[in-house]
């Protein structure tokens, strides 16, 4: 009888212990693993209340020009439509995207990372203050890009060739983050119109920029830059016809000259001679077919929705013929 009682006590103890561990694990999951996600959830009422009590930080461009700031509890923008593609929006109904979304915890003063100034503020028992965020964007270039696109549908990106920093990122048509309801009530506008970022959500033929990749692939696989091809203005490679702009004839030329005059024939022959496997190896190193932005030390440095670039539908070199390579 005594052994039976002891067995029941031990069983109950095990059940209580397991229940406690399960409860502890559940709490730890939400408070540690999912803490940032939960804190940043647009429907989180505690977050909404905390944001109202904390002055939200401003967003600046690379020249120190204020792009977004809070005034009397209302978010203001220096150029709402011109910078919406990067800054994004924050809304209790429609959520947060762009810089406003990815850097929300810092802007709202709710980030769990502390710098020296933040520690000093806590020690002084001062009220929380949203942090400012500085971008590589240049507002003047952003506005110039928008003016250049005009009413056309398209995308325009300007980069610093030395660092890769984004100086301007313009999508057209665009939207005003202070009038979100107008766009979300129209499903077509929301999916394919003003709310679509054509810089990061659409794919485009890279054109002559691929010649740099082809040249790199050739050098990586021991094709001499002094190797020459003869450009007659037109050619047929692997059954695929190609020509240079205006059927221009460049004659016999090496890689350096081919890059200078942007000779289609030279790089089409080079790509075909390389073969698909070697060409794809270099393309993959350049980031084709991968979500390379998620591998950055701080993925939020590109706080936008991006799609994977690709050379072909399946990124399979076995399916690519010489004629296909000539046109890449």
């Amino acid at each position: 009888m005594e052994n039976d009682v002891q067995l029941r006590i031990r069983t109950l103890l095990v059940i209580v212990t397991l229940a406690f561990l399960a409860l502890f694990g559940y709490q730890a999951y939400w408070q540690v693993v999912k803490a940032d996600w939960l804190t940043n959830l647009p429907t989180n009422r505690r977050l909404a209340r905390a944001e109202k009590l904390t002055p939200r930080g401003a967003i600046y461009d690379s020249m120190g020009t204020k792009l977004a700031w809070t005034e009397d509890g209302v978010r203001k923008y220096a150029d709402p439509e011109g910078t919406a593609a990067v800054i994004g929006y924050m809304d209790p109904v429609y959520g947060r995207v762009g810089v406003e979304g990815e850097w929300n915890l810092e802007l709202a003063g709710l980030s769990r990372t502390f710098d020296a100034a933040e520690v000093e503020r806590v020690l002084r028992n001062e009220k929380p203050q949203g942090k400012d965020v500085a971008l590589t964007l240049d507002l003047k270039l952003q506005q110039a890009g928008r003016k250049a696109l005009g009413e056309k549908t398209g995308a325009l990106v300007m980069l610093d060739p030395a660092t890769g920093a984004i100086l301007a990122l313009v999508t057209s048509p665009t939207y005003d983050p202070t009038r979100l309801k107008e766009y979300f009530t129209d499903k077509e506008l929301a999916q394919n119109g003003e709310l679509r970022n054509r810089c990061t959500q659409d794919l485009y033929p890279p054109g002559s920029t691929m010649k740099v990749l082809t040249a790199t692939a050739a050098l990586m696989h021991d094709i001499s830059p002094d190797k020459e091809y003869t450009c007659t203005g037109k050619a047929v490679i692997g059954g695929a016809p190609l020509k240079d702009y205006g059927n221009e004839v460049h004659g016999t030329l090496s890689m350096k000259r081919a890059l200078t005059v942007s000779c289609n024939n030279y790089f089409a022959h080079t790509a075909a001679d390389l073969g698909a496997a070697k060409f794809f190896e270099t393309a993959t190193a350049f980031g084709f077919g991968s979500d390379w932005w998620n591998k950055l030390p701080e993925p939020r440095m590109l706080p936008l929705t991006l799609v994977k670039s690709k050379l072909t539908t399946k990124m399979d070199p076995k399916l690519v013929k010489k004629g296909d390579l000539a046109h890449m």
Side-chain angles (χ1 to χ4, degrees):
M1 184 69 176
E2 184 178 347
N3 290 338
D4 186 50
V5 172
Q6 290 178 343
L7 177 61
R8 291 183 181 183
I9 292 175
R10 284 197 297 270
T11 302
L12 180 60
L13 180 61
V14 169
I15 293 174
V16 171
T17 302
L18 290 175
F20 174 79
L21 290 174
L23 181 61
F24 178 80
Y26 179 80
Q27 291 294 328
Y29 174 76
W30 286 106
Q31 294 184 23
V32 179
V33 180
K34 300 291 288 185
D36 284 343
W37 175 85
L38 189 61
T39 302
N40 209 25
L41 196 65
T43 54
N44 187 336
R45 295 182 179 180
R46 293 181 62 185
L47 173 63
R49 286 196 295 269
E51 287 179 336
K52 289 181 180 179
L53 296 174
T54 306
R56 190 173 181 81
I59 300 173
Y60 293 85
D61 78 349
S62 59
M63 306 304 291
T65 303
K66 193 180 289 187
L67 301 178
W69 66 96
T70 298
E71 189 176 300
D72 297 327
V74 178
R75 200 64 168 162
K76 303 285 187 178
Y77 301 93
D79 186 350
E81 295 185 348
T83 58
V86 177
I87 293 179
Y89 56 80
M90 50 170 289
D91 187 273
V93 177
Y94 306 113
R96 304 178 183 88
V97 299
V99 175
E100 293 278 29
E102 291 296 327
W103 292 91
N104 179 60
L105 295 181
E106 285 77 9
L107 287 165
L110 300 173
S111 173
R112 294 188 299 169
T113 58
F114 294 90
D115 53 24
E118 189 71 9
V119 173
E120 186 177 344
R121 181 195 63 75
V122 173
L123 292 175
R124 289 180 178 178
N125 198 30
E126 296 175 353
K127 291 183 178 180
Q129 173 68 48
K131 295 182 180 179
D132 296 334
V133 173
L135 309 180
T136 60
L137 214 65
D138 185 318
L139 181 59
K140 290 184 178 179
L141 289 178
Q142 186 78 6
Q143 292 173 329
R146 189 172 174 221
K147 183 178 180 181
L149 273 180
E151 298 300 319
K152 297 177 182 177
T153 296
L156 185 151
V157 179
M158 301 182 205
L159 303 176
D160 181 336
T163 64
I166 298 175
L167 305 178
L169 190 147
V170 184
T171 180
S172 179
T174 185
Y175 65 93
D176 183 340
T178 65
R179 299 187 289 112
L180 288 177
K181 187 176 180 180
E182 298 177 21
Y183 307 103
F184 277 95
T185 52
D186 188 318
K187 186 176 180 180
E188 180 61 26
L189 287 182
Q191 292 181 344
N192 303 307
E194 282 84 345
L195 293 176
R196 186 172 187 81
N197 191 331
R198 287 170 169 77
C199 295
T200 62
Q201 292 178 272
D202 290 348
L203 296 176
Y204 303 91
S208 289
T209 58
M210 284 296 286
K211 289 170 183 169
V212 176
L213 189 152
T214 305
T216 304
L219 296 174
M220 286 179 64
H221 294 93
D222 300 323
I223 293 181
S224 171
D226 297 323
K227 184 174 183 177
E228 296 181 333
Y229 291 100
T230 299
C231 169
T232 59
K234 297 180 180 180
V236 177
I237 301 178
L242 62 95
K243 62 180 181 179
D244 271 272
Y245 181 76
N247 295 329
E248 185 173 353
V249 178
H250 296 122
T252 301
L253 68 177
S254 62
M255 184 183 293
K256 183 176 180 180
R257 177 63 181 164
L259 277 171
T260 303
V261 299
S262 190
C263 179
N264 293 343
N265 269 266
Y266 181 94
F267 289 101
H269 280 96
T270 300
D273 287 350
L274 272 168
K278 294 178 179 179
F279 190 89
F280 272 55
E281 179 185 336
T282 305
T284 300
F286 268 71
F288 277 86
S290 71
D291 54 348
W292 52 268
W293 53 90
N294 287 326
K295 301 177 179 66
L296 294 172
E298 174 51 90
R300 295 186 301 164
M301 295 301 287
L302 270 173
L304 304 170
T305 301
L306 288 90
V307 294
K308 292 182 183 179
S309 55
K310 54 188 177 182
L311 295 176
T312 64
T313 304
K314 296 183 178 180
M315 280 291 288
D316 186 350
K318 295 179 182 179
L319 303 177
V320 178
K321 301 177 181 178
K322 278 194 173 184
D324 299 322
L325 282 174
H327 279 274
M328 286 186 180

